[in-house]
Amino acid sequence: MKITHDILTDTATTQLKNKSAPVDSGKLTDIHSNETMNKQQAQTFADDIYHKDEHIPQNQSTYDRPLSITAHKSESELLDKMTNTISFGELPHKLNQLRPKYENFMNELEISSPSLAKKEWEFSVDSNDKLVVSGNIAENEKNYLEGKLNANEDIVNLAKELPDILIKGQEYDRGYDGKGKYWGKYDVTQENFKDIVDIKGLLDSSYGPNAKAFDDGFDAFSYQDNLRSQLASKAEAKYAY
């Protein structure tokens, strides 16, 4: 073939175009990204490898990580707590402590006002730790009894603990679903305790002439019957199944 000036010119032009042709940047970027990812994964895998000599004490043959497990108490445990709080535990024990203070108060009342001592009245404690009196008595008699009771620090200090103990025991009965089968089904609060629980009634039923001595003269079953009757007649069964 005869090489002419035109052929030489076309050949040179084609070579220049091939040298200056744009490179697909997208492909290069993908390649670079893949290489970077592979390096990161390799580093991650390397970090996750535990070598005995480097990461584990010489006297330990395995890699160990402390595990914390929180378990709910069983229903039977909560039932035991309720029983030991309300039925035979804290609440009757506190009433047992209150008993001699109450008996001394009633003995003094029989001397100062024998007719009032024989009347039907009751007392409880409000959310301000004040003893309140109710019953079929005159207003001046109510005020007189409240004054005498609140002046007795021993009675006040023991009586004001009763709502907390009862409410705590009810919470045990309600367990994890908020429902109670026994004491816990009744809605008793710090605010309505005074309208529901008659402390005098609990004491009289436990130590009266019809009571049977079980624990230092305390009739636990008569006490439970009286408390159950009070709750059933005056409290809402708000948390019953």
Side-chain angles (χ1 to χ4, degrees):
M1 180 178 67
K2 183 180 180 179
I3 300 175
T4 64
H5 176 74
D6 293 338
I7 293 174
L8 291 173
T9 302
D10 292 341
T11 302
T13 300
T14 301
Q15 291 176 347
L16 289 174
K17 286 182 179 180
N18 290 337
K19 288 183 179 181
S20 60
V23 179
D24 190 344
S25 60
K27 293 181 179 179
L28 287 177
T29 302
D30 291 342
I31 294 172
H32 177 70
S33 299
N34 290 336
E35 290 178 351
T36 302
M37 184 181 301
N38 290 336
K39 289 181 179 179
Q40 291 174 344
Q41 290 176 342
Q43 181 64 39
T44 300
F45 296 150
D47 290 343
D48 286 343
I49 298 174
Y50 291 91
H51 300 283
K52 176 181 178 182
D53 296 337
E54 296 177 2
H55 299 279
I56 302 177
Q58 294 182 356
N59 61 348
Q60 185 175 332
S61 60
T62 58
Y63 176 71
D64 183 41
R65 180 179 179 183
L67 179 62
S68 176
I69 301 176
T70 301
H72 288 300
K73 292 184 181 297
S74 66
E75 293 296 333
S76 62
E77 286 180 293
L78 292 176
L79 183 61
D80 287 342
K81 283 181 172 291
M82 179 203 70
T83 300
N84 291 325
T85 302
I86 298 179
S87 302
F88 297 100
E90 289 184 63
L91 192 54
H93 177 69
K94 190 62 59 176
L95 289 169
N96 206 4
Q97 290 180 307
L98 181 55
R99 170 194 176 186
K101 314 298 181 183
Y102 168 71
E103 289 182 337
N104 289 338
F105 176 85
M106 292 302 297
N107 289 335
E108 293 176 2
L109 186 62
E110 288 177 355
I111 295 173
S112 62
S113 182
S115 61
L116 182 56
K118 295 178 182 179
K119 289 187 177 181
E120 295 294 327
W121 58 274
E122 56 192 52
F123 78 89
S124 191
V125 59
D126 66 15
S127 57
N128 296 316
D129 297 336
K130 178 185 176 182
L131 300 183
V132 292
V133 174
S134 59
N136 189 25
I137 57 176
E139 190 67 22
N140 64 314
E141 292 175 321
K142 172 186 171 183
N143 294 334
Y144 174 78
L145 287 171
E146 286 185 351
K148 295 278 287 184
L149 283 168
N150 284 288
N152 191 315
E153 292 184 4
D154 290 334
I155 292 180
V156 173
N157 289 334
L158 290 168
K160 70 181 183 182
E161 296 183 45
L162 299 179
D164 286 334
I165 298 173
L166 175 61
I167 293 170
K168 178 177 66 174
Q170 290 181 304
E171 290 296 332
Y172 290 138
D173 184 26
R174 290 169 195 158
Y176 307 112
D177 60 0
K179 298 292 185 179
K181 296 180 180 179
Y182 308 101
W183 305 111
K185 65 184 177 182
Y186 298 106
D187 180 27
V188 181
T189 65
Q190 294 285 348
E191 289 71 28
N192 68 17
F193 183 91
K194 63 181 177 59
D195 301 316
I196 296 173
V197 179
D198 169 23
I199 299 174
K200 184 176 184 295
L202 294 177
L203 291 168
D204 288 342
S205 66
S206 303
Y207 301 110
N210 296 324
K212 298 177 181 179
F214 284 94
D215 180 15
D216 191 24
F218 185 87
D219 187 341
F221 295 105
S222 292
Y223 143 77
Q224 291 179 43
D225 288 342
N226 188 270
L227 178 59
R228 188 178 296 107
S229 176
Q230 291 188 35
L231 295 176
S233 62
K234 293 183 281 186
E236 177 187 1
K238 182 177 180 180
Y239 303 102
Y241 281 96

